């Protein structure tokens, strides 16, 4: 890798290096390595070797960037889960029945229960997994809150089973998330993770501050297995994106569900910042926040990715007041559509709300609302209007008024973002150019 490597960057070793000189790291091809700092000797770095925990020096030429995770084939935290197949079909899947080969299926006879099918002595043994009062168990004595925990337990401990679970039989077309993430260098280890205090609340779990190999990080833990599964898609998206105005993913830890390990943005989210500092924030700062977000969005637009939840609460601020877009939970390739029940109505464009037409241009509408938030110091949009009333008013052509003391050019940009017809709204590329021009002119 010829470009400069920065502290905290995750890289993969390109070859084996097993006879190190003093202070050099020993590593093997494919090993995950984190940059600690640049050495005085150009092109050399102080780095942390994950597998051994050693710190030593390494040449940048021995390292390459991690490849992004592909969305297809589908990744699963439960590749051994085959859904509703019958007993005989399960036996078919498990040929030849080597000891410890297993899969889990949904019970057809007892809906809601599962069946664990394990090979032993040339046979397949079917254990009914009973679901009762929110817990799962095969023998009533040992209970689990989800299938992942159960499989993890019986992989190391035979318990009442005929054999330990040694070898998962993957469902066809499904790849193990653990294998794929690990091979591509995105799987971090739980041992190197230190959890600190809670810094935020997400919809699916708390966000904590912490450290990974001594680097400050933000950590989102998703405990429920089904939700964690959905978050894998978010993860795959995040591995593809690198931009100074997007929150970067450092990697994931598979333990107790899923941990997303992200760069830590020390100043938290933009709404809280706007609300707490209020009018002490100077106009050039408001303009810089707006431009940062527009730059990040122009990058997403170019990648044909729709965010769908652009709002000041999903913008995070670094120590130096750089604004970065977070929360790709709802972002999807422009061609896909799904669950609409959890939309942030007051930020969503009419065509997206009523006709499910999401696009970068519906993100532009949300950006207009975000601008309004920035210039009104974090007020909630459509103040004093219920959601229903706001939706009705918008249909009649109503638009929010200009925030107090907002520059007219900025309000005019908001109105352009709120054009009824998406095609009449500016693209993020245009918005970015416009804001850059405004910033240049304000500096004279
Ligand atoms: P959700 O996807 O459930 O909306 P978010 O990712 O928006 O969760 O996180 C919720 C809150 O946690 C944010 O508003 C912010 O205050 C805090 N937070 C999230 N990620 C980070 C981060 N990387 N650095 C600092 N704070 C963060
Ligand atoms: Mg959020």
């Amino acid at each position: 890798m010829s470009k400069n490597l920065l502290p905290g960057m995750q890289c993969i070793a390109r070859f084996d290096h097993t006879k190190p000189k003093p202070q050099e790291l020993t590593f093997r091809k494919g090993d995950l390595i984190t940059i600690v700092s640049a050495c005085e000797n150009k092109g050399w770095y102080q780095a942390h070797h994950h597998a051994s925990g050693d710190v030593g020096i390494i040449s940048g030429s021995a390292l390459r960037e991690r490849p992004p995770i592909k969305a297809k084939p589908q990744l699963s935290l439960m590749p051994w889960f085959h859904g509703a197949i019958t007993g005989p079909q399960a036996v078919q899947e498990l040929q030849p029945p080597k000891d410890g080969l297993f899969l889990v299926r949904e019970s057809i006879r007892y809906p809601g229960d599962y069946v664990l099918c394990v090979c032993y002595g040339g046979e397949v043994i079917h254990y009914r997994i009973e679901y009762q009062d929110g817990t799962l168990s095969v023998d009533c004595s040992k209970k689990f809150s989800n299938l992942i925990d159960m499989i993890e337990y019986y992989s190391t401990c035979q318990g009442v089973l005929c054999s330990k679970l040694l070898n998962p039989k993957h469902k066809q077309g499904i790849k193990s998330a653990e294998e794929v993430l690990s091979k591509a260098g995105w799987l971090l280890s739980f041992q190197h993770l230190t959890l600190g205090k809670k810094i935020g609340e997400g919809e699916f779990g708390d966000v904590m501050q912490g450290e990974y190999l001594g680097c400050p990080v933000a950590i989102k833990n998703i405990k429920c297995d089904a939700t964690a599964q959905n978050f894998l898609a978010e993860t795959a998206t995040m591995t593809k994106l690198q931009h100074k105005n997007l929150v970067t993913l450092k990697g994931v830890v598979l333990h107790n569900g899923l941990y997303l390990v992200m760069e830590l943005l020390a100043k938290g989210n933009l709404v809280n910042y706007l609300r707490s500092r209020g009018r002490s924030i100077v106009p050039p700062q408001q303009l810089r926040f707006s431009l940062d977000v527009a730059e990040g969005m122009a990058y997403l637009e170019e990648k044909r990715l729709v965010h769908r939840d652009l709002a000041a609460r999903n913008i995070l601020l670094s120590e130096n007041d750089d604004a970065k877009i977070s929360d790709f939970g709802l972002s999807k390739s422009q061609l896909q559509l799904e669950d609409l029940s959890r939309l942030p109505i007051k930020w969503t464009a009419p065509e997206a709300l009523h006709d499910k037409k999401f696009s970068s241009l519906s993100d532009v509408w949300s950006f207009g609302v975000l601008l309004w938030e920035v210039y009104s110091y974090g007020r909630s949009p459509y103040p004093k209007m219920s959601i229903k009333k706001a939706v009705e008013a918008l249909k009649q052509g109503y638009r929010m008024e200009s925030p107090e003391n907002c520059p007219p050019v900025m309000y005019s940009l908001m109105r352009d973002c709120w054009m009824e017809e998406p095609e009449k709204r500016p693209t993020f590329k245009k918005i970015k150019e416009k804001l850059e021009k405004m910033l240049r002119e304000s500096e004279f």
Side-chain angles (χ1 to χ4, degrees), residues 161-403:
L161 304 182
C162 56
S163 158
K164 270 190 212 172
L165 305 177
L166 299 174
N167 193 1
K169 172 69 197 184
H170 289 188
K171 185 178 170 178
Q172 211 190 350
I174 298 280
K175 283 212 156 186
S176 148
E178 188 169 359
E179 268 169 41
V180 172
L181 292 169
S182 157
K183 213 165 152 205
W186 291 92
L187 192 66
L188 307 180
S189 83
F190 185 67
Q191 291 141 296
H192 297 319
L193 194 64
T194 319
L195 298 175
K197 69 169 203 276
K198 178 178 159 179
I199 51 169
E201 214 154 301
E203 199 179 330
F204 303 106
D206 293 342
V207 179
M208 331 261 270
Q209 185 178 318
E211 280 191 1
Y212 189 81
L213 286 176
C215 252
V217 291
I219 306 148
K220 204 191 259 186
N221 179 215
I222 296 120
K223 292 202 180 86
C224 163
D225 53 2
T227 317
Q229 177 64 44
N230 288 336
F231 264 84
L232 275 179
E234 173 176 9
T235 307
T237 306
M238 286 180 88
T239 65
K240 288 192 199 72
L241 305 170
Q242 275 186 37
H243 188 273
K244 68 176 181 57
N245 299 112
L246 299 185
V247 175
T248 47
L249 179 73
K250 292 191 171 262
V252 303
V253 172
L254 299 181
H255 175 94
N256 204 346
L258 179 69
Y259 288 87
L260 298 184
V261 182
M262 299 168 287
E263 72 174 305
L264 178 69
L265 288 142
K267 290 192 176 165
N269 75 49
L270 181 58
V271 197
N272 289 345
Y273 185 91
L274 292 166
R275 287 181 186 166
S276 60
R277 316 260 165 139
R279 294 189 184 268
S280 69
I281 302 170
V282 293
Q285 186 61 64
Q286 288 168 306
L287 192 48
R288 271 195 296 271
F289 287 150
S290 309
L291 176 57
D292 278 348
V293 177
E295 284 186 54
M297 288 308 298
Y299 173 82
L300 288 185
E301 178 179 77
E302 197 187 292
K303 296 256 168 185
R304 296 178 56 78
L305 272 152
V306 182
H307 189 293
R308 296 175 181 224
D309 195 10
L310 184 59
R313 63 179 172 277
N314 286 328
I315 305 300
L316 303 176
L317 300 176
S318 75
E319 198 54 71
N320 321 320
D321 292 335
D322 295 321
K324 305 196 183 204
I325 302 164
S326 88
D327 218 355
F328 295 90
L330 295 172
S331 66
K332 283 270 137 56
S333 127
Q334 220 142 345
L335 303 165
Q336 289 177 24
L337 282 173
E338 26 67 86
D339 180 29
L340 301 171
S341 57
R342 301 192 346 257
L343 284 178
I345 307 229
K346 285 185 171 179
W347 281 262
T348 304
E351 77 281 4
L353 200 57
H354 304 300
D355 307 319
K356 307 177 184 180
K357 284 189 185 145
F358 289 89
S359 66
S360 292
L361 290 169
S362 61
D363 280 346
V364 167
W365 176 290
S366 314
F367 181 77
V369 180
L370 186 151
L371 281 182
W372 187 91
E373 292 180 276
V374 169
Y375 283 85
S376 56
Y377 303 95
R379 276 186 93 181
S380 297
Y382 307 93
K384 304 199 187 86
M385 270 184 171
S386 67
I387 286 177
K388 200 164 160 235
K389 212 150 164 223
V391 172
E392 274 311 309
L394 281 166
K395 274 190 190 160
Q396 310 296 322
Y398 170 83
R399 297 293 186 265
M400 279 193 281
E401 280 124 52
S402 172

